[in-house]
Each structure stands twice: as C-alpha cells, then as structure tokens.
Amino acid sequence: TAASVGAGMLPVGLGTQTQGSTLRPASFCGAVGFKPTIHAFNTAGIHPLSSTCDHLGVIGATIEDVWMIASQLSLGIGSPGYGFLNGAADVLPVAVAPQKLVVLYTRGWNEIDDDAKQQFNATLKALTEGGVQIVSKDIETRVQAFEDALERDVDGALDIVAYEMQWPYRDYIARFGTQIGKRIHGLIKRADALQPADYAALLEKRRAIRAQARNLLAELGADAYITLASSGPAPRGLKESGSRTFLTPGSWLGFPAFALPLLHSAGIPFGIQLLGADHRDGNLFAAARWIMREFT
C-alpha cells in the first residue's frame, strides 16, 4: 500500500500494524500514515496476530485523504464494543496549531545517523519558530521519568504479541512445520517461557504506562508526543524491512499516531511521528493537519 501510494498508483489504501507496519512503510515511501486508537477500526476479516496490539491503519498521499477514509471506514461499520473513531465526520476537523509537543528521545535515537538527527532537530526548531512550545527530558524531569518507564517495560510489547499469537500459530506450526518462517517459530518459542501470571503482569505494566502517558500530556498541557516514524530512510534490498523501534511504543500503548512525510536524507523520504492520547484521534488529526499545512 505504502509503495503504491508513494509511486502515485493509489491516492489512499489500508495497512495493518501490530508494531510498525503502517507508519514505518508510510515513512519510507513519503506518504502520510495513520493508526487510530486500538480497536477504533473494525478488524473483522483481518488475520489476527495480537488481539491487544493489532491495528488497522490508513496510508495516503495527503492527510485530508487519510482522515476522510478513516472517518468513512469508522462511520460505515463501527467497531464492536468500541463505537466510532473520535472526530469521525463527513466534514474534516479544522487544522489547529498545537500549543505544546513533548519530544521522545527513546532508544531509537541510537539507530539514526547524524543527518537524520539534524533534520529532526531542524523540524523542532521550525515548530518553535512557528509558536509551538517544545518540551523534552532536558528541561522537564517528568518527561525523563516517562522515557525511563518506556525503556524499562517496552520490551514486554513483544512478549504480549508472542503470548497472544499462540492461537492459531501453534496449530500452523504443527500442521506445516518449516513452511512457517523462522521469526514465527522464534516468537512461539518466546511464548513457551511465559505463564498466565507473566501475561497478567505484562498487561498490568502496560496499563500503568498508558496512564502515565495520558497524565503526562495532561499535566504539561501538551497536545501530543513527537518523535520519528522510522530510523531514517528505508534500508536497501529485501533482506529486512527496517527497525520497529520508533513505532513499538505507540502500538504497545494503543495510542493514535500519524507518520508525516516531512524529512529527506540523500533524497530519500522519512517521516515525523505524532503520537497522541487514546480516544483523542480527532484532536491529533487537527494538530497533524496544521503541521502539514505549515511545513509542506
């Protein structure tokens, strides 16, 4: 989908994301990517991997196209037990300048080159000059505490995926053996080490981090978190599809996020990630739309 949008073959399409598979391809292809609050979209008919991490997302050439499709997708069928996407309507929410953004310098910062760092910092500077207040761990201890909590517990995201994907993947391995990829075998082996009490503890840790993430935005009066949507441009070749490091926290938390195609390195695109509080997707779109309008 992302490649088709990036090549101009499609104006908009769908993608799925358990860790990073909507926003990261959008970042690589110079497209806008959006994943909503977890469960905001109906996922009937999509093969399950992790019931509490799987998202359906939208990738498009413009942020307006992305939001219109997201709105109609939600309003057309709803999501069982959830309802409808926050902000979904036949009319686009107006662009609203964010008052304050919180920068997240997570472990992904160690994966990017100097050019990507300089471009990201230049974007932060441009936002500041545009009237947006930028807050980071360097000036706010509560941001440092939140980053520390993320670093401490985010690896549990893969344990949750491994535990939840056991069914039906154990059956697939039993039936088809080596026809199932090595990574899937590795995840099921990871699940072998987890007991029900371990899974319950992982869910509790995530619940606590979600609350901390919401509270931090509220306490600081901030609109969203800002970071990168990938570890720089797409890697060459087909051997790997790139790091998930920048995307895993948002998928683990289940918070809405946009990949905004604002950066380039050696002529190859990559994106900024805007991550908001859950159930405030429409507010996040309004801020993302303003950023796209001001900086493209």
Side-chain angles (χ1 to χ4, degrees):
T1 298
S4 298
V5 170
M9 299 168 65
L10 296 173
V12 66
L14 302 179
T16 58
Q17 176 162 319
T18 301
Q19 289 192 303
S21 296
T22 294
L23 300 189
R24 180 184 50 182
S27 176
F28 289 160
C29 295
V32 175
F34 169 61
K35 78 163 195 71
T37 299
I38 185 75
H39 304 312
F41 286 159
N42 194 320
T43 57
I46 297 173
H47 192 290
L49 187 68
S50 167
S51 61
T52 69
C53 296
D54 289 344
H55 297 72
L56 175 61
V58 183
I59 300 171
T62 72
I63 195 166
E64 289 81 8
D65 283 350
V66 164
W67 188 259
M68 186 58 71
I69 292 298
S71 292
Q72 294 305 313
L73 180 65
S74 176
L75 296 175
I77 57 176
S79 182
Y82 183 97
F84 302 95
L85 177 71
N86 169 262
D90 291 330
V91 178
L92 292 170
V94 299
V96 178
Q99 299 301 302
K100 187 182 295 184
L101 297 174
V102 179
V103 186
L104 293 181
Y105 292 109
T106 58
R107 68 180 71 169
W109 196 250
N110 298 318
E111 298 178 354
I112 62 176
D113 61 25
D114 289 339
D115 185 37
K117 291 177 183 178
Q118 290 170 8
Q119 290 207 39
F120 181 70
N121 288 330
T123 299
L124 296 183
K125 184 177 183 230
L127 285 165
T128 300
E129 291 171 350
V132 181
Q133 185 178 350
I134 302 296
V135 181
S136 71
K137 63 184 180 182
D138 297 327
I139 58 176
E140 175 55 66
T141 57
R142 286 172 290 183
V143 176
Q144 178 69 71
F146 177 58
E147 286 196 15
D148 290 345
L150 278 179
E151 291 299 323
R152 183 189 67 229
D153 292 334
V154 72
D155 290 331
L158 193 59
D159 288 327
I160 289 175
V161 170
Y163 193 88
E164 292 178 347
M165 70 182 286
Q166 293 181 76
W167 306 276
Y169 282 89
R170 285 193 185 279
D171 183 54
Y172 293 164
I173 289 173
R175 288 169 181 257
F176 304 109
T178 56
Q179 294 181 55
I180 305 300
K182 290 182 179 179
R183 185 166 186 270
I184 300 299
H185 279 269
L187 286 167
I188 295 304
K189 187 174 181 180
R190 190 176 184 125
D192 290 339
L194 297 170
Q195 299 298 316
D198 299 320
Y199 178 58
L202 289 166
L203 296 180
E204 177 56 28
K205 285 180 180 179
R206 182 171 62 184
R207 185 205 63 76
I209 295 289
R210 278 175 173 166
Q212 188 174 357
R214 290 187 206 104
N215 293 340
L216 180 59
L217 290 177
E219 291 168 6
L220 296 177
D223 300 89
Y225 297 101
I226 186 169
T227 186
L228 288 174
S230 62
S231 300
R236 291 183 179 275
L238 302 176
K239 200 169 186 180
E240 60 165 335
S241 58
S243 170
R244 302 165 176 81
T245 306
F246 280 106
L247 291 313
T248 294
S251 296
W252 174 52
L253 294 171
F255 284 10
F258 282 92
L260 305 179
L262 296 175
L263 307 177
H264 288 82
S265 180
I268 310 296
F270 64 106
I272 293 291
Q273 182 184 176
L274 208 62
L275 178 69
D278 51 345
H279 311 295
R280 291 181 60 80
D281 304 59
N283 304 81
L284 187 67
F285 167 77
R289 190 182 189 192
W290 181 87
I291 291 172
M292 289 297 295
R293 186 185 69 188
E294 294 296 312
F295 297 100
T296 56

